[in-house]
Amino acid sequence: MQTGGGRRQRHAMMYQAAADRYGSMPYPHCGRSGLRLSAVSLGLWHNFGGNDDFDRQRWIVRTAFDQGITCFDLANNYGPPPGSAEENFGRLLARDLKPYRDEMVVCTKAGYTMWPGPYGDWGSRKYLVASLDQSLKRMGLDYVDIFYHHRPDPETPLEETMAALDHIVRSGRALYAGISNYNGERTAAAAAELRRLGTPFVIHQMRYNMLVRQPETDLLPVLEREGIGGIAFSPLAQGLLTDRYLGGALPADSRAAGSVGFLKPEHITPERLATIEALNEIARTGGRTLAQLALAWVRRQPSIASVLIGASKPQQVLDAVRAVQMAPLAGDEIAAVEAILGGQS
């Protein structure tokens, strides 16, 4: 078992990535683009802020890269405090990953409140360009690989927001444009506008898991038709689709017991617990953990290029990587899951 002191000694050494890091990770194409993503991506929404342990952050990110995870997902407001996840990732790049920059897909976003006043939120050209400039400075980068508009803005014309993404790509600040949390109709409209502008729009990031299935009818058909790749955040329903809550437990360090994220104690209902217990039985029968079943379920969709996980410890990264190395779900497994989920949404 690695002790805290052992970890500090390990991090004091010059990092050299594992030689076999590309041996078993799948790298699907992102839609019809030439960009390939690691089938598992690491998100820095939680556990990478200024109040979190930096040594542990380094351990998680190193573990991810050593396992072939090349896609790292951030946003301007990730922390807390906002901006601190990008600052910490910049420190990780400088200390450990700078020699491997061209092997990585670094992503960030803007769309939620970042600074006071009328220019620090939503989807105006002024906000998006300024925010990315700040993000690049925090991370010590000249460009990001993917820049997302984080959420649709009901009061800014879609044409302005897409023109801002076009400008960002043409200016060299990002290689590709993406959007997040748009419904199917607005995604189709965004795709049409970016196509008119000639901007490489390759990816949509949506919340999708066994318990949140709206994208299957609204969004995923649009992505397939438009040739846009999907990356699913919260594929484990913020830990609900893991062994953390089996038996009705509410761990003190769990997302549901905390103050951030989507998962709240009131979501841990007897009905929901019965569902995850039944899903866990299917997972066990197939030689998987519940989390591995949940990741395989999301990845069965043709348009999903990557599943975006969070991690508070390296072992969670290893478990997710193991999931994508396993055989896809068989037809009888999918049918059994479907019978349990029914109309879950």
Side-chain angles (χ1 to χ4, degrees):
M1 180 176 178
Q2 184 83 287
T3 65
R7 281 167 51 194
R8 282 190 292 273
Q9 183 178 17
R10 173 185 172 185
H11 293 318
M13 300 168 59
M14 180 69 72
Y15 170 66
Q16 186 170 358
D20 61 351
R21 59 190 178 278
Y22 296 119
S24 55
M25 172 66 69
Y27 295 94
H29 280 273
C30 192
R32 289 197 290 265
S33 77
L35 180 65
R36 296 167 64 177
L37 299 183
S38 50
V40 176
S41 298
L42 181 64
L44 280 67
W45 181 19
H46 298 291
N47 306 308
F48 286 84
N51 300 324
D52 295 298
D53 182 80
F54 183 70
D55 188 60
R56 183 174 64 176
Q57 294 173 23
R58 294 182 78 186
W59 195 15
I60 293 169
V61 169
R62 286 182 173 192
T63 299
F65 193 66
D66 283 344
Q67 293 296 314
I69 293 176
T70 55
C71 185
F72 296 89
D73 184 83
L74 299 107
N76 58 354
N77 61 336
Y78 287 177
S84 59
E86 289 180 330
E87 289 173 350
N88 283 333
F89 189 68
R91 293 168 66 194
L92 290 167
L93 284 168
R95 296 187 187 191
D96 297 329
L97 295 172
K98 187 175 181 180
Y100 307 100
R101 171 64 182 100
D102 291 335
E103 298 182 35
M104 302 168 62
V105 175
V106 179
C107 315
T108 197
K109 319 177 197 72
Y112 286 90
T113 304
M114 188 58 191
W115 63 83
Y119 316 122
D121 202 349
W122 292 105
S124 71
R125 180 187 182 106
K126 179 170 176 59
Y127 169 53
L128 295 182
V129 175
S131 178
L132 180 52
D133 284 344
Q134 293 178 19
S135 293
L136 293 173
K137 185 175 181 180
R138 282 190 288 266
M139 291 187 284
L141 292 174
D142 296 323
Y143 71 95
V144 292
D145 297 278
I146 298 172
F147 181 69
Y148 294 91
H149 184 221
H150 207 164
R151 61 170 172 172
D153 181 349
E155 297 184 356
T156 297
L158 182 69
E159 292 80 4
E160 177 179 341
T161 301
M162 295 305 108
L165 295 181
D166 171 72
H167 169 73
I168 282 167
V169 171
R170 291 182 186 277
S171 69
R173 292 173 172 90
L175 301 183
Y176 301 94
I179 58 176
S180 181
N181 297 308
Y182 279 53
N183 64 20
E185 180 181 4
R186 288 184 68 86
T187 296
E193 183 63 16
L194 287 173
R195 187 182 303 112
R196 185 185 71 79
L197 294 167
T199 305
F201 171 28
V202 301
I203 193 164
H204 186 295
Q205 186 175 133
M206 85 295 290
R207 186 182 179 204
Y208 176 47
N209 58 58
M210 284 177 160
L211 307 178
V212 177
R213 301 185 62 184
Q214 295 96 327
E216 293 177 0
T217 54
D218 174 58
L219 179 62
L220 297 185
V222 174
L223 300 188
E224 290 189 46
R225 183 176 72 244
E226 298 288 346
I228 300 166
I231 180 169
F233 73 85
S234 197
L236 302 179
Q238 292 214 301
L240 190 56
L241 293 171
T242 71
D243 60 6
R244 305 260 299 153
Y245 301 95
L246 294 174
L250 184 62
D253 62 345
S254 66
R255 295 276 180 86
S259 59
V260 295
F262 303 115
L263 193 61
K264 307 299 180 186
E266 57 267 26
H267 297 154
I268 316 298
T269 63
E271 295 78 14
R272 186 53 57 84
L273 289 172
T275 295
I276 65 174
E277 292 283 357
L279 292 171
N280 185 57
E281 192 56 39
I282 294 174
R284 289 179 54 193
T285 301
R288 308 175 197 261
T289 66
L290 176 56
Q292 289 168 344
L293 175 69
L295 294 177
W297 172 260
V298 171
R299 291 193 68 238
R300 85 194 194 285
Q301 297 288 355
S303 58
I304 297 296
S306 186
V307 289
L308 180 56
I309 66 161
S312 60
K313 58 191 73 171
Q315 187 59 48
Q316 294 168 330
V317 174
L318 298 175
D319 291 343
V321 170
R322 171 63 183 140
V324 303
Q325 295 168 346
M326 302 174 81
L329 293 180
D332 57 342
E333 290 178 293
I334 294 174
V337 169
E338 200 63 62
I340 292 169
L341 295 180
Q344 292 282 345
S345 64

